[in-house]
Amino acid sequence: MEKTKTWETDDGAVQFIFTYEIGTSSCSEVKVVIFSPAEPDNRKELTLHGESKPVSIGFKMKSGTGIEGDLSLKSMSDVNCVRCVWGEFTYYVNNHAEQIYEGCMIEVSTGGHRPPSPPTPPDPDPIAPPNPYRCEPSPTVYLDNQASAEDDLFPYVYMRFWPKLDDGVLLLNYVQYPLVDSASSDAFIKELEKYSASGDADARLKMLALAQSYIEGDDPYQGLYLQNIDSLPGVMPQFPALLEYVRHDLDITIDKLNLYIKNKLGLTPDQLKTFLSSDEFDSAVQQVWASYFSLVIIMGYDATNLVVLSKELQACHLLLQCYVSDDQEQEPVTTSEIQQLAHARILLPNTIFPLPPVPPKEEVERPHKGAIEPYAIGDLQMLRQRFSHYQLGDIAHIENIMAGEKRLVRSKVLSQQAQETAQEEVEEDFSGTVTEYQEKKQLHELRRSIAERTVTDDYKDLKTTYGQPTEATISGTVIHTTKAGEKPEGRDKIKFARDILDKSVREISSQVKSYRSINAFDENERAHQSEFDNTANSRNRVGIYRWLNRVYSAYVVNYGTRLMIEFIVNNPAERFIEMERSQFGIELVRPLTLQQKGITNYSDITESNYLELSVYYKVKEVSTYPQKKIVVSVSLYGGEKVIQSIPEGYQVTAVTMESTVAKINGDDSYVLAGAHKIKTGETVTGLDKFGEENTLSIVAPMPGFSSPALDDSSTLPLDNSYAVSITISCEPSAEVITNWQIATYNALAEGYSREIKQYYRLADEYEGKYQRSPQVNRGIERKVLKQDCMRLLLKRHVDDVGLITNEADKEDKQPSQFYVNQPRYLQFFEEAYEWREMSYSFYSGINSLQSGIFNYTSGSAQADPLFKNFLEADVARILVPVRPDKAMAAIYYLASGVIWFGDERYVAVNPDDAALAYEYKKARLLTDHDAPVVGESWDVTVPTTMQIIDQDSSSIKDLEGHS
Amino acid sequence: MGVKLNFINLTNDANNSKFVIFQKNVATDFDELAVAWRVIQNCGQGDYHPFVFPMSMEVGASDSWGNYMPEQAAENGDMFQVVKDTSGDVLHLASEKGAPKEVQLRNDLNKGAINASIYKDKKLLATKTNIAPSQKAVFQFKPTIWIGAVSQVEEGEVMNSAIISDVNTEISLLGIASADLVATGGGPGSNSVPFKFTLENVKMV
């Protein structure tokens, strides 16, 4: 939108009209029209551009009114592009009364942003500040650039996706099998297609074996593999050179190509067309294809020959398109088309490629779950920043000094940090102090020494007499003889003493070392003293401290076109959490509550679960489940009765009686137990029948007490006595079980309480020791995600190729082919992907709340919400750009699981990737390499903790504005 | 907040010339004479004279009885009035507003003319005399000052038209936070050139 402002001189003799655009993204120019109201048609028009040099406005009118001088634009503020039109001119009316004008005429605000100008150093202000200080942020840049180091902030990518290709594009950009329609397929290729379509589990292995036998010339493929293209018919051996010629001549035309063919190949276009249409050429092309396919399948067999065959096929494609066309009316091939044809990549046929994957073996551990796909082709742009300058921020602190006041301010900050970990390590064979150890060792050695020597005392004329009175007569001498003991002497006592001493020294020195290594003490003291002396002044004084802001200049740099690969990783933090636990050796898992373990009250404690629970809560003082059954037996003679005591807490559930006689008084022998009559060999069971606690009364009837049949000597002993044995079975009462459950429940509850306290203590220790900065957390995230992506890439290889292990290798216990190749693949991933530019995002579902490292109570997770996202994420989505020189190899790998060995320019394209590869190639051509910086830079202000005395008040001034 | 100016005498003048600074009242129908707002005198070669041109101003009035009423702070858009209350003639801010870019002072006395004055930094900037009852004085100033080397001028006095016509340099203060106001030229002899006043070390707001 256009805006107009007018201005006139003091006497109105000369008028100015200023016109400029507002609402533009940058500071626009200002158009100026100068005229005199006396002569409105006589105008001078000029344009002011940015902050360029002043524009001269020399202008004289017929009436004698004139103006001489300059106009320019001066910046007032970067924001909204506020500038002023600055005039320095002299004007006059009727050739006299010259007037001079200098200064800003109008303010111009166009709403755009002005590129940042270099900061100007502060000028000493000779003017004493007239007014009391006004609190207002100063936009003035007054500190020099001290550094201009550039830092990458973060990348971002403008994405574009690829549409499906039409036939015309495919024809120009890809060499498609079979090139020649009329040719009969090669037997080798037919065999490959047959295997590929078979769907057999071992199809891939068969194809590999077939390709190997083709290359090696096994029957029936003797001599078919092209080791040298010189054996090709006609001018075909010269095709690769022709291709190179076309590629290097960017102005190639069909006429130039004709000339080259005539000079180098000795053929006219018609002759070449005839050759290209011949059966000989067709079969030769088939042979080239077959050799090419065999080398692609056995990747790495002969990379040089692979390139030569690629060129041969590309040249054949070029010539066929240029000289043999179905459409007779077709227009001559253009330079652009010839170049496209010359750079066309080989598109592998979908009847063979990618090779069928090897079916997974159950016993093989598949690395990680997730997904990996080419995501988009994007312009990788990096946001960068460069330190620009410092800027005054808001007021941080104001120091007021009254008139006549003298103040001394001392501030002292002392921070101390002490860390001490006492650790006692006791060896198993030594559980005391060093002195004790020494004594024990000495005693042991002495015993051994004594055992090695025998001392004999030989007395001569030794007589003793015992009795009343006791006398003892000792005369002669006593001879002590030392003899060798049973064990050979040879122990060196000095050595023993030295050993003891060494041991003691070792013990002491090792303890000292231990304490030295774990004591740490940091002390930091900062003292600051300020003295304000206003005694000599009769006015109040004010000192203003301002925060200091760092100002960065931010801008976007285009890194060029990149293929972006998208990785989806499940549970990205899972491995990290495991690693953390094992690394720090702490099992920081919050113990489950009793409720979470299914124990809502004491009645849930059962014989089957109490042991598992006591182990989980590490409870030792739990008592075992009450014995299920107690058997008490008692013997009685006839006529006896007994009140049998029952174990406390138990109830009688069954009573069995056996008797020495079958009958008593003619009846079957019996006893009375409780209220029941129990016969010989009978067992009465049931809690309802007994249930006695504490005691059970048992009576054995007296013989002849109730029976008249005393003559039955066969059943009664001669002394009329008999004996019975009663077995009483008891089971614990419900009260006992309940008491046990309550006691166990209480023990488990105490155990849980101990465990949860231990958990919090360890968690606190962990937080204190291992709290990390957000930067470190970002590093961890990137490292873990990169490893996950590498695993996914390796998975692609394993899925497609399988973990091939030869039988011979198995016998020799050799590592599998996969493990041998793994470093090579990892190196390829390192080189092909720009891991530094990785960008990622985390997604978490409801399940994530139950997982986690420390239940996220505090620590790193709370201090760094981004890291919490990582820890809780169910899925991570990672975008990684591929290096431009490895893009086609990366695409090939993702489709086939095999690294392409050889020149990037000759990487073949799998059928499903044709559109992607073409779009990438197109995007690369469009990339503007000369303009890495995108758009204009802008300033970013970052507050710091630094303070500075406001320059305007560097000498503290009084409230009235007098210094 | 005002514009910090630092007058620096780099002239060759040997006559101890005075330098006058004043503003012209735009809102006037006739050629009203300007007042010498600030006169810099005895400023030798190489000397400098810092001063502030404040954005704020004060308005004052005096009646025909010779009473001077205390100055009151004024802003563009303010309307003042002189009325007669129980104590006598007083100056105060009227309830209604004036034109946005002007300061107005109305004579609401029944009888007797008044004189209206505008002050900046306690110094008289402009004045209008003999304002009859029901009439008003209108003051409007462009953000420019006039500066020139003169003689026979006293600070706060109305300058005669001859002197005013000698002052031909208009300096715009629009958007300026501080600047040096450098005087050059002058001097004796045949090489003498007119005085010239330029802005240097300009710092914009």
Side-chain angles (χ1 to χ4, degrees):
Chain A
M1 193 172 70
E2 216 171 54
K3 189 166 184 179
T4 302
K5 282 188 176 180
T6 58
W7 186 90
E8 62 178 12
T9 56
D10 183 56
D11 54 7
V14 183
Q15 291 192 357
F16 292 74
I17 298 175
F18 301 95
T19 308
Y20 55 93
E21 290 282 332
I22 59 172
T24 57
S25 58
S26 59
C27 302
S28 64
E29 57 191 17
V30 178
K31 293 176 181 172
V32 187
V33 177
I34 308 169
F35 67 99
S36 170
E39 296 179 60
D41 295 332
N42 192 2
R43 294 168 172 243
K44 182 177 178 68
E45 295 183 2
L46 52 97
T47 305
L48 304 175
H49 300 278
E51 290 185 31
S52 57
K53 291 179 181 177
V55 178
S56 174
I57 53 170
F59 179 49
K60 190 169 181 179
M61 286 159 252
K62 293 175 184 174
S63 60
T65 302
I67 184 166
E68 287 179 5
D70 297 322
L71 286 182
S72 62
L73 284 173
K74 281 202 175 187
S75 151
M76 298 176 74
S77 169
D78 293 353
V79 181
N80 293 329
C81 226
V82 179
R83 296 167 295 170
C84 79
V85 178
W86 190 269
E88 288 186 38
F89 53 81
T90 305
Y91 61 95
Y92 48 87
V93 182
N94 298 327
N95 294 317
H96 68 277
E98 193 179 76
Q99 302 285 313
I100 299 169
Y101 183 90
E102 180 174 1
C104 180
M105 299 167 74
I106 60 161
E107 284 184 3
V108 177
S109 174
T110 55
H113 288 273
R114 196 177 64 87
S117 57
T120 54
D123 289 329
D125 190 353
I127 307 170
N131 279 345
Y133 182 80
R134 302 288 174 92
C135 172
E136 54 194 2
S138 164
T140 314
V141 175
Y142 75 99
L143 290 176
D144 284 336
N145 282 349
Q146 296 297 325
S148 60
E150 296 174 354
D151 300 323
D152 289 345
L153 288 180
F154 55 85
Y156 63 98
V157 180
Y158 287 128
M159 300 294 184
R160 62 168 157 263
F161 298 88
W162 45 90
K164 196 177 175 183
L165 299 181
D166 59 26
D167 291 343
V169 173
L170 273 175
L171 213 55
L172 280 176
N173 291 279
Y174 290 106
V175 180
Q176 298 176 78
Y177 175 79
L179 275 183
V180 280
D181 295 335
S182 58
S184 59
S185 288
D186 186 272
F188 168 68
I189 297 174
K190 276 184 180 173
E191 195 74 5
L192 285 177
E193 288 175 337
K194 191 181 82 179
Y195 283 136
S196 180
S198 68
D200 293 345
D202 57 350
R204 185 187 187 96
L205 296 177
K206 284 181 180 173
M207 291 170 83
L208 284 168
L210 187 68
Q212 191 167 352
S213 63
Y214 183 86
I215 292 171
E216 290 173 353
D218 296 344
D219 188 50
Y221 306 117
Q222 297 96 331
L224 292 179
Y225 172 67
L226 275 173
Q227 283 190 330
N228 193 335
I229 58 168
D230 291 342
S231 60
L232 286 171
V235 293
M236 285 182 78
Q238 299 166 51
F239 280 2
L242 180 142
L243 186 76
E244 287 297 324
Y245 163 74
V246 174
R247 282 181 173 177
H248 286 97
D249 188 352
L250 298 178
D251 299 323
I252 188 74
T253 60
I254 195 71
D255 293 336
K256 279 188 179 179
L257 191 59
N258 288 338
L259 193 62
Y260 179 90
I261 290 168
K262 186 177 181 185
N263 292 337
K264 298 289 182 180
L265 308 185
L267 296 176
T268 64
D270 288 339
Q271 287 172 327
L272 179 63
K273 183 175 180 180
T274 306
F275 173 71
L276 295 175
S277 307
S278 66
D279 292 341
E280 186 185 24
F281 174 75
D282 287 357
S283 61
V285 168
Q286 284 294 323
Q287 192 184 358
V288 176
W289 275 119
S291 300
Y292 180 81
F293 290 159
S294 65
L295 285 178
V296 171
I297 292 171
I298 309 292
M299 181 58 68
Y301 183 86
D302 189 347
T304 310
N305 198 25
L306 186 65
V307 170
V308 172
L309 294 176
S310 297
K311 287 182 180 176
E312 184 70 40
L313 288 169
Q314 286 167 321
C316 290
H317 175 65
L318 167 69
L319 294 174
L320 283 168
Q321 292 305 316
C322 290
Y323 293 97
V324 183
S325 175
D326 298 337
D327 187 359
Q328 297 299 325
E329 300 300 323
Q330 191 185 15
E331 294 179 0
V333 188
T334 64
T335 301
S336 160
E337 287 172 344
I338 295 174
Q339 279 298 333
Q340 283 190 63
L341 288 167
H343 289 88
R345 286 183 185 273
I346 294 175
L347 187 66
L348 298 172
N350 56 8
T351 51
I352 301 174
F353 296 97
L355 297 183
V358 173
K361 295 175 183 174
E362 290 304 323
E363 67 272 19
V364 174
E365 184 189 353
R366 294 286 165 151
H368 218 271
K369 294 176 181 175
I372 170 172
E373 286 298 329
Y375 178 65
I377 297 163
D379 296 329
L380 178 64
Q381 301 193 338
M382 179 72 74
L383 183 62
R384 279 188 172 178
Q385 66 175 16
R386 180 196 296 133
F387 172 68
S388 174
H389 57 273
Y390 285 101
Q391 189 182 56
L392 282 184
D394 203 352
I395 289 179
H397 171 60
I398 295 177
E399 196 71 51
N400 296 302
I401 311 294
M402 304 279 285
E405 182 183 358
K406 183 177 181 180
R407 188 188 301 170
L408 187 64
V409 179
R410 284 194 187 125
S411 62
K412 186 176 175 182
V413 178
L414 177 66
S415 60
Q416 289 181 339
Q417 190 175 7
Q419 187 179 357
E420 182 174 348
T421 306
Q423 194 172 353
E424 185 89 16
E425 289 186 4
V426 181
E427 294 183 8
E428 287 181 4
D429 60 344
F430 169 54
S431 60
T433 63
V434 176
T435 316
E436 287 170 358
Y437 176 84
Q438 211 167 342
E439 286 171 354
K440 285 182 182 176
K441 187 86 177 177
Q442 273 177 326
L443 187 62
H444 176 71
E445 289 293 324
L446 281 171
R447 280 176 184 160
R448 194 163 59 185
S449 300
I450 290 165
E452 288 172 358
R453 296 174 182 224
T454 305
V455 179
T456 307
D457 294 342
D458 192 2
Y459 301 96
K460 287 185 176 177
D461 298 333
L462 178 63
K463 294 178 181 175
T464 58
T465 305
Y466 294 94
Q468 294 295 334
T470 302
E471 290 178 353
T473 306
I474 298 175
S475 64
T477 55
V478 179
I479 301 167
H480 297 279
T481 307
T482 304
K483 295 180 180 176
E486 293 178 354
K487 292 183 180 177
E489 188 179 5
R491 292 285 174 184
D492 186 352
K493 294 297 182 298
I494 297 172
K495 181 173 179 292
F496 161 67
R498 195 166 59 225
D499 286 348
I500 293 296
L501 184 63
D502 288 350
K503 178 71 179 172
S504 305
V505 171
R506 275 202 302 275
E507 281 295 316
I508 292 165
S509 66
S510 99
Q511 286 190 358
V512 170
K513 279 178 188 171
S514 170
Y515 274 95
R516 276 181 189 159
S517 64
I518 57 180
N519 279 323
F521 183 75
D522 291 331
E523 181 172 315
N524 186 14
E525 180 176 347
R526 281 190 306 165
H528 176 70
Q529 178 170 322
S530 303
E531 184 174 351
F532 302 97
D533 188 356
N534 201 22
T535 51
N537 206 319
S538 61
R539 297 175 187 279
N540 299 334
R541 287 173 177 269
V542 180
I544 292 102
Y545 296 79
R546 301 274 291 268
W547 295 112
L548 203 57
N549 294 336
R550 277 176 81 93
V551 180
Y552 292 91
S553 179
Y555 55 98
V556 175
V557 179
N558 190 359
Y559 275 24
T561 302
R562 295 288 190 277
L563 172 69
M564 304 299 294
I565 305 293
E566 180 185 38
F567 297 83
I568 301 292
V569 176
N570 296 325
N571 296 322
E574 190 178 9
R575 287 180 52 255
F576 169 73
I577 292 169
E578 287 175 9
M579 188 184 71
E580 281 275 287
R581 286 176 178 166
S582 61
Q583 184 177 355
F584 297 112
I586 45 176
E587 192 63 30
L588 270 186
V589 180
R590 178 198 280 268
L592 297 177
T593 62
L594 284 168
Q595 283 75 17
Q596 286 171 324
K597 295 290 280 183
I599 309 298
T600 53
N601 56 46
Y602 68 88
S603 62
D604 294 327
I605 307 283
T606 64
E607 185 188 7
S608 59
N609 66 11
Y610 84 100
L611 280 175
E612 184 260 331
L613 288 169
S614 60
V615 169
Y616 181 80
Y617 291 114
K618 299 187 177 74
V619 177
K620 294 176 183 172
E621 56 271 23
V622 69
S623 57
T624 55
Y625 191 81
Q627 195 173 344
K628 273 185 176 178
K629 185 177 180 182
I630 292 177
V631 178
V632 178
S633 63
V634 60
S635 297
L636 297 176
Y637 289 107
E640 284 184 345
K641 72 169 183 179
V642 67
I643 297 176
Q644 178 62 40
S645 64
I646 303 299
E648 188 179 353
Y650 281 76
Q651 291 176 309
V652 177
T653 55
V655 176
T656 305
M657 193 278 279
E658 286 294 339
S659 173
T660 55
V661 294
K663 292 182 178 299
I664 298 173
N665 303 331
D667 294 334
D668 292 341
S669 59
Y670 66 93
V671 293
L672 292 172
H676 293 276
K677 185 177 179 181
I678 303 168
K679 294 178 181 175
T680 303
E682 188 185 13
T683 300
V684 177
T685 60
L687 200 58
D688 54 335
K689 291 178 178 169
F690 294 102
E692 284 87 348
E693 296 179 3
N694 301 324
T695 57
L696 178 67
S697 170
I698 304 170
V699 176
M702 186 176 289
F705 175 74
S706 62
S707 175
L710 291 173
D711 55 343
D712 192 355
S713 58
S714 63
T715 58
L716 190 67
L718 292 175
D719 56 356
N720 285 339
S721 67
Y722 71 98
V724 293
S725 173
I726 298 105
T727 304
I728 306 164
S729 297
C730 307
E731 290 182 5
S733 66
E735 186 183 357
V736 168
I737 298 293
T738 304
N739 287 338
W740 173 83
Q741 284 177 318
I742 291 171
T744 306
Y745 182 85
N746 289 338
L748 293 175
E750 282 180 15
Y752 168 73
S753 177
R754 271 199 308 273
E755 288 298 301
I756 196 77
K757 281 179 187 168
Q758 174 79 352
Y759 163 77
Y760 281 124
R761 192 179 63 77
L762 288 175
D764 286 345
E765 280 181 12
Y766 180 86
E767 287 161 25
K769 288 181 185 174
Y770 307 110
Q771 205 162 22
R772 293 178 295 258
S773 69
Q775 285 79 6
V776 174
N777 286 340
R778 296 292 87 73
I780 289 172
E781 288 168 13
R782 300 182 77 83
K783 186 178 173 185
V784 171
L785 291 177
K786 181 184 169 185
Q787 289 174 348
D788 285 338
C789 293
M790 290 258 196
R791 282 185 166 75
L792 281 176
L793 286 166
L794 272 180
K795 180 175 180 290
R796 183 61 62 98
H797 173 72
V798 174
D799 285 350
D800 288 343
V801 181
L803 301 175
I804 300 170
T805 307
N806 297 329
E807 291 300 320
D809 292 343
K810 278 183 182 174
E811 289 174 5
D812 296 343
K813 296 185 177 178
Q814 294 292 321
S816 72
Q817 194 177 334
F818 170 75
Y819 289 107
V820 173
N821 288 337
Q822 188 170 325
R824 206 151 37 110
Y825 278 78
L826 292 177
Q827 185 185 351
F828 171 73
F829 303 149
E830 273 299 343
E831 291 172 354
Y833 292 87
E834 293 183 286
W835 297 106
R836 274 191 68 225
E837 323 303 343
M838 167 204 297
S839 63
Y840 51 87
S841 51
F842 300 114
Y843 305 93
S844 59
I846 51 172
N847 294 334
S848 61
L849 295 175
Q850 295 174 3
S851 61
I853 177 167
F854 307 135
N855 218 18
Y856 314 138
T857 52
S858 53
S860 301
Q862 275 198 349
D864 186 355
L866 293 175
F867 197 62
K868 181 172 180 286
N869 290 345
F870 165 66
L871 294 175
E872 292 184 347
D874 287 339
V875 175
R877 180 169 173 267
I878 306 141
L879 290 176
V880 187
V882 184
R883 291 187 196 284
D885 57 343
K886 297 282 184 186
M888 297 313 296
I891 294 173
Y892 181 81
Y893 176 81
L894 290 179
S896 64
V898 179
I899 302 174
W900 182 277
F901 290 98
D903 196 329
E904 163 80 11
R905 291 174 298 170
Y906 300 101
V907 177
V909 178
N910 278 290
D912 291 342
D913 297 331
L916 166 63
Y918 170 68
E919 195 65 27
Y920 178 73
K921 176 183 167 188
K922 204 167 69 173
R924 291 275 297 163
L925 291 173
L926 291 173
T927 305
D928 184 6
H929 297 286
D930 297 331
V933 177
V934 182
E936 293 182 353
S937 64
W938 66 95
D939 284 351
V940 180
T941 304
V942 180
T944 70
T945 56
M946 296 184 287
Q947 292 182 11
I948 190 170
I949 293 182
D950 192 296
Q951 221 182 19
D952 286 345
S953 63
S954 55
S955 60
I956 299 175
K957 56 206 174 194
D958 65 15
L959 288 170
E960 280 72 34
H962 299 284
S963 58
Chain B
M1 196 175 78
V3 182
K4 300 170 187 173
L5 294 171
N6 187 29
F7 175 81
I8 303 174
N9 183 5
L10 296 181
T11 64
N12 301 316
D13 177 55
N15 288 334
N16 191 14
S17 296
K18 295 177 181 176
F19 300 95
V20 66
I21 296 166
F22 62 91
Q23 276 195 304
K24 288 181 178 178
N25 185 6
V26 178
T28 177
D29 293 332
F30 54 94
D31 196 10
E32 187 177 331
L33 297 178
V35 176
W37 173 66
R38 185 180 282 272
V39 175
I40 299 169
Q41 50 193 343
N42 298 321
C43 187
Q45 288 181 14
D47 290 359
Y48 61 88
H49 182 104
F51 65 98
V52 173
F53 186 83
M55 289 295 111
S56 60
M57 52 189 167
E58 297 84 36
V59 65
S62 62
D63 63 11
S64 55
W65 304 98
N67 303 312
Y68 286 81
M69 294 157 227
E71 294 88 359
Q72 298 191 19
E75 289 180 5
N76 282 339
D78 284 348
M79 159 86 84
F80 291 86
Q81 58 182 168
V82 174
V83 296
K84 187 171 185 177
D85 70 2
T86 53
S87 71
D89 296 345
V90 292
L91 170 70
H92 62 73
L93 191 63
S95 56
E96 65 265 38
K97 299 295 284 183
K101 292 182 179 177
E102 298 174 345
V103 174
Q104 299 179 357
L105 194 156
R106 192 171 61 205
N107 183 356
D108 284 339
L109 298 173
N110 294 326
K111 186 180 177 183
I114 60 165
N115 301 325
S117 304
I118 292 287
Y119 299 86
K120 266 191 190 287
D121 200 11
K122 308 287 183 186
K123 296 175 187 295
L124 185 64
L125 179 68
T127 185
K128 185 163 186 174
T129 56
N130 294 324
I131 303 164
S134 302
Q135 289 195 333
K136 61 183 177 184
V138 179
F139 299 98
Q140 182 187 347
F141 301 97
K142 286 203 297 182
T144 60
I145 56 172
W146 292 79
I147 185 167
V150 293
S151 56
Q152 298 173 347
V153 168
E154 292 299 322
E155 201 172 83
E157 294 292 333
V158 175
M159 296 179 289
N160 66 45
S161 58
I163 292 174
I164 293 173
S165 63
D166 281 343
V167 176
N168 65 348
T169 301
E170 187 181 11
I171 302 287
S172 171
L173 302 180
L174 181 64
I176 293 178
S178 67
D180 290 346
L181 188 51
V182 180
T184 54
S190 57
N191 292 329
S192 177
V193 293
F195 285 106
K196 190 179 177 188
F197 303 91
T198 53
L199 287 174
E200 291 183 8
N201 293 327
V202 176
K203 288 183 182 172
M204 308 304 285
V205 173

